[in-house]
Amino acid sequence: MNQSSAVKSQDKRGNGAGQDAIPLMPPVDVIEDSTGITLYADMPGVPKDQLNLNVEGDVLSIEGTVSIAMPQAMQASYAEVNSSQFRRVFTLSKELDAGKISAEFAQGVLKLRIPKAQHAQPRRIEVRAN
């Protein structure tokens, strides 16, 4: 992923205390345009009610708990993924308006739209002639 300068991943993971294991870091794509950024985070198996988004200051955190129904008699004979938690934290640029973040979640993909603050948006300057 080519990471935008408008949003930087802090790559901080929890210690897993009291949980299954270290949370998984969901892969993200960040697309920047003239009016803001769009962030896509893959979080398969997370139901909407187990998704938690928070903004505190310039820090955006994304968390989710995987909930996949398994038949009682079924047990994995081998599993590379042992965590049922997703967690990723980003530091937002001052150019972004954290108060206007919108979110959509469909088919395991979280889409966040974070607009640029008014002062950071491109504007046309009128030139007057005398």
Side-chain angles (χ1 to χ4, degrees), residues 66-120:
V66 175
S67 177
I68 299 174
M70 294 280 285
Q72 281 187 333
M74 184 176 275
Q75 207 172 32
S77 56
Y78 177 77
E80 292 185 344
V81 178
N82 294 317
S83 179
S84 62
Q85 299 286 321
F86 281 108
R87 184 169 198 277
R88 189 134 184 201
V89 178
F90 300 92
T91 300
L92 302 176
S93 162
K94 299 292 183 200
E95 294 180 353
L96 299 173
D97 189 346
K100 293 184 178 175
I101 296 175
S102 61
E104 297 174 24
F105 190 64
Q107 299 183 359
V109 178
L110 174 66
K111 176 183 174 185
L112 296 176
R113 178 69 185 162
I114 309 171
K116 287 185 178 176
Q118 189 67 31
H119 72 274

Side-chain angles (χ1 to χ4, degrees), residues 8 10 12 53-62 87-94 98 101:
K8 295 189 188 289
Q10 294 185 356
K12 290 183 178 176
L53 308 173
N54 286 305
V55 175
E56 188 171 326
D58 63 348
V59 176
L60 167 67
S61 64
I62 300 170
R87 184 169 198 277
R88 189 134 184 201
V89 178
F90 300 92
T91 300
L92 302 176
S93 162
K94 299 292 183 200
I101 296 175

Side-chain angles (χ1 to χ4, degrees), residues 30-48:
V30 179
I31 299 167
E32 184 172 2
D33 59 37
S34 63
T35 61
I37 65 167
T38 304
L39 184 149
Y40 296 92
D42 294 336
M43 302 178 76
V46 176
K48 184 181 171 195

